[in-house]
Coordinates of all heavy atoms in Angstrom, one line a residue:
E1 N -8.5 9.3 53.2 CA -8.3 10.7 52.9 C -9.4 11.1 51.9 O -9.8 10.4 51.0 CB -6.9 10.9 52.3 CG -5.8 10.7 53.4 CD -4.4 11.0 52.8 OE1 -4.3 11.1 51.6 OE2 -3.5 11.1 53.7
G2 N -9.9 12.4 52.0 CA -11.0 12.8 51.2 C -10.6 13.4 49.9 O -9.8 14.3 49.8
E3 N -11.2 12.8 48.8 CA -10.9 13.4 47.5 C -11.6 14.7 47.3 O -12.7 15.0 47.8 CB -11.5 12.4 46.4 CG -11.2 12.8 45.0 CD -11.8 11.9 43.9 OE1 -12.2 10.8 44.3 OE2 -12.0 12.4 42.8
I4 N -10.8 15.7 46.7 CA -11.3 17.1 46.6 C -11.0 17.6 45.2 O -10.1 17.0 44.5 CB -10.7 18.0 47.6 CG1 -9.2 17.8 47.7 CG2 -11.3 17.8 49.0 CD1 -8.4 18.7 48.6
K5 N -11.6 18.7 44.8 CA -11.3 19.3 43.5 C -10.4 20.5 43.6 O -9.8 21.0 42.7 CB -12.6 19.6 42.7 CG -13.4 18.5 42.2 CD -12.7 17.8 41.0 CE -12.8 18.7 39.7 NZ -14.1 18.6 39.1
T6 N -10.4 21.1 44.8 CA -9.7 22.4 45.1 C -8.7 22.1 46.2 O -9.0 21.4 47.1 CB -10.6 23.5 45.4 OG1 -9.8 24.7 45.8 CG2 -11.6 23.2 46.5
S7 N -7.6 22.8 46.1 CA -6.5 22.6 47.2 C -6.9 23.4 48.5 O -6.3 23.3 49.5 CB -5.2 23.1 46.7 OG -4.8 22.3 45.6
I8 N -7.9 24.2 48.4 CA -8.3 25.1 49.5 C -9.8 25.0 49.8 O -10.5 25.9 49.8 CB -7.9 26.6 49.3 CG1 -8.4 27.0 47.9 CG2 -6.4 26.7 49.4 CD1 -8.2 28.5 47.7
P9 N -10.3 23.7 50.2 CA -11.7 23.6 50.4 C -12.3 24.3 51.5 O -13.4 24.9 51.5 CB -11.8 22.0 50.6 CG -10.5 21.6 51.1 CD -9.5 22.5 50.3
T10 N -11.6 24.4 52.7 CA -12.1 25.1 53.8 C -12.2 26.6 53.5 O -13.2 27.2 53.9 CB -11.1 24.9 55.0 OG1 -10.9 23.5 55.2 CG2 -11.7 25.4 56.3
L11 N -11.2 27.1 52.9 CA -11.2 28.5 52.5 C -12.3 28.8 51.5 O -13.0 29.8 51.7 CB -9.8 29.0 51.9 CG -9.7 30.4 51.6 CD1 -9.8 31.3 52.9 CD2 -8.4 30.7 50.9
K12 N -12.5 28.0 50.6 CA -13.6 28.1 49.6 C -15.0 28.1 50.2 O -15.8 28.9 49.9 CB -13.5 27.0 48.5 CG -12.4 27.2 47.5 CD -12.8 28.2 46.4 CE -11.7 28.2 45.3 NZ -12.0 29.2 44.3
A13 N -15.1 27.3 51.2 CA -16.4 27.2 51.9 C -16.6 28.4 52.8 O -17.7 29.0 52.8 CB -16.5 25.9 52.8
F14 N -15.6 28.9 53.4 CA -15.6 30.0 54.4 C -15.9 31.3 53.6 O -16.6 32.2 54.1 CB -14.3 30.1 55.2 CG -14.3 31.1 56.2 CD1 -15.1 31.0 57.3 CD2 -13.5 32.2 56.2 CE1 -15.1 31.9 58.4 CE2 -13.4 33.2 57.2 CZ -14.3 33.0 58.3
M15 N -15.2 31.5 52.5 CA -15.3 32.7 51.7 C -16.5 32.7 50.7 O -16.3 33.1 49.6 CB -14.0 33.0 51.0 CG -12.8 33.1 51.9 SD -12.9 34.5 53.1 CE -12.6 35.9 52.0
G16 N -17.6 32.3 51.2 CA -18.8 32.3 50.3 C -19.3 33.7 50.1 O -18.9 34.7 50.8
N17 N -20.2 33.9 49.1 CA -20.6 35.3 48.9 C -21.7 35.7 49.9 O -22.2 34.9 50.7 CB -21.3 35.3 47.5 CG -22.5 34.5 47.3 OD1 -22.8 33.6 48.1 ND2 -23.3 34.7 46.2
G18 N -21.9 36.9 50.0 CA -22.9 37.5 50.9 C -22.4 37.8 52.3 O -21.2 37.6 52.5
G19 N -23.2 38.3 53.1 CA -22.8 38.7 54.5 C -22.6 40.2 54.6 O -22.4 40.9 53.7
S20 N -22.6 40.6 55.9 CA -22.5 42.0 56.2 C -21.0 42.5 55.9 O -20.1 41.6 55.8 CB -22.9 42.3 57.6 OG -22.0 41.6 58.5
V21 N -20.8 43.8 56.0 CA -19.5 44.3 55.8 C -18.5 43.8 56.9 O -17.4 43.4 56.7 CB -19.5 45.9 55.8 CG1 -18.1 46.4 55.7 CG2 -20.3 46.4 54.6
G22 N -19.1 43.8 58.1 CA -18.3 43.3 59.3 C -17.9 41.9 59.1 O -16.8 41.5 59.5
F23 N -18.8 41.1 58.6 CA -18.5 39.7 58.4 C -17.5 39.5 57.3 O -16.6 38.6 57.4 CB -19.8 38.9 58.1 CG -19.6 37.4 58.1 CD1 -19.1 36.7 59.2 CD2 -20.0 36.7 57.0 CE1 -18.9 35.3 59.1 CE2 -19.8 35.3 56.9 CZ -19.3 34.6 58.0
Q24 N -17.6 40.3 56.3 CA -16.6 40.2 55.2 C -15.2 40.5 55.8 O -14.2 39.9 55.4 CB -16.9 41.2 54.1 CG -18.2 40.8 53.4 CD -18.2 39.5 52.6 OE1 -17.1 39.0 52.3 NE2 -19.4 39.0 52.3
I25 N -15.1 41.5 56.6 CA -13.8 41.9 57.3 C -13.3 40.7 58.1 O -12.1 40.4 58.1 CB -13.9 43.2 58.1 CG1 -14.3 44.4 57.2 CG2 -12.7 43.5 58.9 CD1 -14.7 45.6 57.9
F26 N -14.2 40.1 58.9 CA -13.9 39.0 59.8 C -13.3 37.9 58.9 O -12.3 37.2 59.3 CB -15.1 38.6 60.5 CG -15.0 37.3 61.3 CD1 -14.3 37.3 62.5 CD2 -15.5 36.1 60.8 CE1 -14.2 36.1 63.2 CE2 -15.4 34.9 61.5 CZ -14.7 34.9 62.7
K27 N -14.0 37.6 57.8 CA -13.5 36.5 56.9 C -12.1 36.8 56.3 O -11.3 35.9 56.2 CB -14.5 36.3 55.8 CG -15.8 35.6 56.2 CD -16.6 35.1 55.1 CE -17.3 36.2 54.3 NZ -18.2 35.7 53.3
G28 N -11.9 38.1 56.0 CA -10.6 38.5 55.5 C -9.5 38.3 56.5 O -8.3 37.9 56.1
I29 N -9.8 38.5 57.8 CA -8.7 38.4 58.8 C -8.3 36.9 59.0 O -7.2 36.5 59.1 CB -9.3 38.9 60.2 CG1 -9.4 40.4 60.1 CG2 -8.3 38.5 61.3 CD1 -10.2 41.0 61.2
F30 N -9.3 36.0 58.9 CA -9.1 34.6 59.1 C -8.7 33.8 57.9 O -8.2 32.7 58.0 CB -10.3 33.9 59.7 CG -10.4 34.1 61.2 CD1 -11.0 35.2 61.8 CD2 -9.8 33.2 62.1 CE1 -11.1 35.4 63.1 CE2 -9.9 33.3 63.5 CZ -10.5 34.4 64.0
A31 N -8.8 34.4 56.7 CA -8.5 33.7 55.4 C -7.1 33.2 55.4 O -6.9 32.0 55.0 CB -8.8 34.7 54.3
P32 N -6.1 34.0 55.8 CA -4.7 33.5 55.7 C -4.5 32.2 56.5 O -3.7 31.3 56.2 CB -3.8 34.6 56.2 CG -4.7 35.8 56.0 CD -6.1 35.4 56.2
I33 N -5.1 32.1 57.7 CA -5.0 31.0 58.6 C -5.6 29.7 57.9 O -4.9 28.7 57.9 CB -5.7 31.2 59.9 CG1 -5.1 32.4 60.6 CG2 -5.6 30.0 60.8 CD1 -5.9 32.9 61.8
L34 N -6.8 29.9 57.3 CA -7.4 28.8 56.7 C -6.6 28.3 55.4 O -6.5 27.1 55.1 CB -8.8 29.1 56.3 CG -9.8 29.4 57.5 CD1 -11.2 29.8 56.9 CD2 -9.9 28.2 58.3
L35 N -6.1 29.3 54.7 CA -5.3 29.0 53.5 C -4.1 28.1 53.9 O -3.8 27.1 53.2 CB -4.8 30.3 52.9 CG -3.9 30.2 51.7 CD1 -4.5 29.5 50.5 CD2 -3.4 31.6 51.2
T36 N -3.4 28.5 54.9 CA -2.2 27.8 55.4 C -2.6 26.4 55.8 O -1.9 25.4 55.4 CB -1.5 28.5 56.5 OG1 -1.2 29.9 56.1 CG2 -0.2 27.8 57.0
R37 N -3.7 26.3 56.6 CA -4.1 25.0 57.0 C -4.5 24.1 55.9 O -4.2 22.9 55.9 CB -5.4 25.2 57.9 CG -5.9 23.9 58.6 CD -7.0 24.3 59.6 NE -7.7 23.2 60.1 CZ -8.8 22.6 59.6 NH1 -9.3 23.1 58.5 NH2 -9.4 21.6 60.2
D38 N -5.2 24.6 54.9 CA -5.6 23.8 53.7 C -4.4 23.3 53.0 O -4.4 22.1 52.6 CB -6.5 24.6 52.8 CG -8.0 24.6 53.2 OD1 -8.3 23.8 54.1 OD2 -8.8 25.4 52.7
L39 N -3.4 24.2 52.7 CA -2.3 23.8 51.9 C -1.5 22.7 52.6 O -0.9 21.8 52.0 CB -1.4 25.0 51.6 CG -2.1 26.1 50.7 CD1 -1.2 27.3 50.6 CD2 -2.4 25.5 49.3
I40 N -1.4 22.7 54.0 CA -0.7 21.7 54.7 C -1.4 20.4 54.6 O -0.8 19.3 54.5 CB -0.6 22.1 56.2 CG1 0.4 23.3 56.3 CG2 -0.1 20.9 57.1 CD1 0.4 23.9 57.7
K41 N -2.8 20.4 54.6 CA -3.5 19.1 54.6 C -3.8 18.5 53.3 O -4.3 17.4 53.1 CB -4.9 19.4 55.4 CG -4.7 19.5 56.9 CD -6.1 19.7 57.5 CE -6.0 19.6 59.0 NZ -5.9 18.2 59.5
T42 N -3.5 19.3 52.2 CA -3.8 18.8 50.8 C -2.6 18.3 50.1 O -1.5 18.8 50.3 CB -4.4 20.0 50.0 OG1 -5.6 20.5 50.7 CG2 -4.8 19.6 48.6
H43 N -2.8 17.2 49.4 CA -1.7 16.7 48.6 C -2.2 15.9 47.4 O -3.5 15.7 47.3 CB -0.8 15.7 49.4 CG -1.5 14.5 49.8 ND1 -1.1 13.2 49.4 CD2 -2.6 14.2 50.6 CE1 -1.9 12.3 49.9 NE2 -2.8 12.9 50.6
K44 N -1.4 15.6 46.4 CA -1.8 15.0 45.2 C -1.3 13.5 45.1 O -0.2 13.2 45.5 CB -1.3 15.7 44.0 CG -2.2 16.8 43.4 CD -1.6 17.4 42.1 CE -2.6 18.4 41.6 NZ -2.1 18.9 40.2
V45 N -2.2 12.7 44.5 CA -1.8 11.3 44.3 C -2.4 10.9 42.9 O -3.6 11.0 42.7 CB -2.3 10.3 45.3 CG1 -2.0 8.9 45.0 CG2 -1.8 10.7 46.7
D46 N -1.5 10.5 42.0 CA -1.9 10.2 40.6 C -2.8 11.2 40.0 O -3.8 10.9 39.3 CB -2.6 8.8 40.6 CG -1.7 7.7 41.1 OD1 -0.5 7.8 40.9 OD2 -2.3 6.7 41.7

């Protein structure tokens, strides 16, 4: 399993800065899906 620093790595990567207005809207639509996916796949150990 991959060690990470944030519980939402996919969302953090996807929601980078920059991009057109249309792309920002597109990212906003898909953000909740990625957030849910990340939270399901992330857990803590020690």
Side-chain angles (χ1 to χ4, degrees):
E1 292 183 346
E3 185 184 339
I4 50 178
K5 286 289 287 287
T6 172
S7 299
I8 49 172
T10 309
L11 184 64
K12 285 280 186 184
F14 186 67
M15 299 298 288
N17 65 344
S20 64
V21 175
F23 187 55
Q24 295 293 341
I25 294 170
F26 171 78
K27 288 195 287 188
I29 293 168
F30 277 89
I33 299 169
L34 295 178
L35 174 64
T36 305
R37 182 173 175 269
D38 275 347
L39 293 176
I40 291 169
K41 285 180 168 284
T42 302
H43 68 117
K44 269 189 178 184
V45 178
D46 297 330

